[in-house]
Amino acid sequence: MREIALHILDIFYNSLQADSSLIKISIAVDTKKDLMEIKIIDNGKGMKKEFVNNVLDPFTTTRSTRNVGLGLSLFKASTNRCEGDLTIWSKEKVGTIVKAWYKYSHIDRQPLGNMRDTVYIMILTLGENNLIYSIKKDDESFVLDTRKIREEMGDGSPLTSPEIMGEIKMLLEEEEKKINIS
Amino acid sequence: MKKTAADLEQIRKETLKNVELRTGKDGYKIIVGMATCGIAAGARDVFKEAIEKVIEKDLDSVTVGQMGCIGLCSMEPIVEVISPSGEKTRYIKVNKEKIDNIITSHIIDGNVVSEYTSES
Ligand SMILES: Nc1ncnc2c1ncn2[C@@H]1O[C@H](COP(=O)(O)OP(=O)(O)OP(=O)(O)O)[C@@H](O)[C@H]1O
Ligand SMILES: [Mg+2]
């Protein structure tokens, strides 16, 4: 993938596909530690122990249209090229945590890429489910919680109405100006 | 267990139901493949362009949604357009320019853009 943001979008769809009602995505850069860490946490159906142990093997997939699953193993491979790694914790009926990290200054690291469009599209495809997106670089941080947005609207209208999406886009643009992650 | 075509269609329908953006019941549906293969090939930008055009042109009855991998990974990004009467057209290797043309010709004017379909 050309951008880390595309891996994140892809892993987000694993969570959505696993019937999660709440998905938390966090990106954190610590320049002192020279570390970039990404977490995708969901409360979906989770995986059996034996399955988790093999899930980073591309031949482990529950998809029926082809017999290789690519998402997780591709993401892991990209971290491994940059002195990083990817780990998965999962428990049936509880949920799943995917944690990936990179050496921030590594020359082979893909750019984070366009998180603005990525989060925008996540929100458009969330349905009734919720997303907490947080991004942090050293002391600067930003959080977007769709549960709060729904609460503020108060009338149960969908997040996908053009007016609300317009506001969400503005928020994400402001965040991007403030927190500069390459 | 091997899944039959009918099983797959059912799974796809269920996925669709979950991700519909709008509630336009009698309009066209635009469905973008957003599995790993689709995303790697550029589906995010195609999806975004579809949404922006639908909003910009006030196509209130049009629904934009996503689907998983349908096993044609080398032809991604794949976009399926379902007409109000249920007819399905599959477009392959879609990019921003193609989705613009699909929306103008197919969705607005009702003419399938046959040079982008999987049959051509
Ligand atoms: N968050 C999750 N919750 C439950 N199961 C998951 C989760 N993420 C992955 N899985 C399981 O692990 C399998 C492998 O995931 P992976 O993303 O690597 O490939 P895939 O989704 O099957 O196919 P692809 O990503 O190539 O479209 C999935 O088929 C699914 O069964
Ligand atoms: Mg996947």
Side-chain angles (χ1 to χ4, degrees), chain A residues 1-3 5-7 9-10 13 16-17 19 62-66 70-72 74 113-118 120-121 123-129 158 160-162 165 169, chain B residues 1-3 8 11-12 15 18-22 34-49 51-52 55 60 64-73:
Chain A
M1 303 261 184
R2 284 185 312 271
E3 305 173 11
L6 294 175
H7 284 296
L9 182 63
D10 184 37
Y13 283 123
L16 210 56
Q17 213 76 53
D19 303 325
T62 49
R63 74 159 54 267
S64 46
T65 52
R66 55 175 143 79
L70 295 171
L72 286 166
L74 270 179
N114 192 337
M115 277 310 294
R116 181 165 33 110
D117 284 1
T118 301
Y120 178 70
I121 284 169
I123 294 175
L124 283 169
T125 47
L126 265 180
E128 306 278 287
N129 309 307
T160 52
S161 75
M165 285 313 300
K169 254 172 92 173
Chain B
M1 197 188 72
K2 214 163 151 35
K3 298 228 166 40
L8 290 181
I11 292 170
R12 259 166 30 78
T15 318
N18 292 331
V19 297
E20 266 177 23
L21 287 180
R22 291 154 168 251
M34 296 281 269
T36 308
C37 43
I39 291 174
R44 181 189 64 190
D45 298 348
V46 170
F47 192 99
K48 188 182 171 221
E49 183 70 12
I51 295 283
E52 310 243 283
I55 294 173
D60 274 347
V64 183
Q66 48 106 296
M67 64 180 177
C69 165
I70 54 171
L72 302 170
C73 309

Side-chain angles (χ1 to χ4, degrees), chain A residues 10 14-15 18 42 46-47 51 55 60-63 66 69-72 96, chain B residues 35-36:
Chain A
D10 184 37
N14 282 351
S15 297
D42 71 51
M47 292 172 256
F51 194 88
V55 77
T60 301
T61 179
T62 49
R63 74 159 54 267
R66 55 175 143 79
L70 295 171
L72 286 166
T96 300
Chain B
T36 308

